[in-house]
Amino acid sequence: MAPIPTPPADPQDDLSAYVGLDAEGAERQARGRGWSTVRKLAPGTIITMEYRAGRLNFEVTDGRVTRSWKG
């Protein structure tokens, strides 16, 4: 039987630091800090809830990040 793979660790980052930034600048900053996937979402967007290592989610209102969370 094949071993279960170990996902890579998420970047060590202060997710609250993205709140209030413009969405494009926040995405550039996140990618520069090692996040492999950055997902920008409108408030109330229906999304799947599976966890994905290396993914950072932004809720964006009027071009500004209002919430950020990993996975």
Side-chain angles (χ1 to χ4, degrees), residues 12-63:
Q12 296 299 308
D13 202 0
D14 177 11
L15 302 184
S16 65
Y18 294 100
V19 175
L21 299 178
D22 72 280
E24 298 305 318
E27 180 176 358
R28 280 191 303 276
Q29 184 173 323
R31 290 189 186 282
R33 291 183 176 171
W35 294 98
S36 58
T37 304
V38 178
R39 183 165 64 168
K40 295 180 283 189
L41 306 160
T45 299
I46 297 172
I47 58 173
T48 60
M49 295 305 293
E50 82 282 356
Y51 182 85
R52 183 171 175 188
R55 178 169 64 193
L56 185 60
N57 300 291
F58 292 146
E59 184 172 280
V60 177
T61 304
D62 297 327

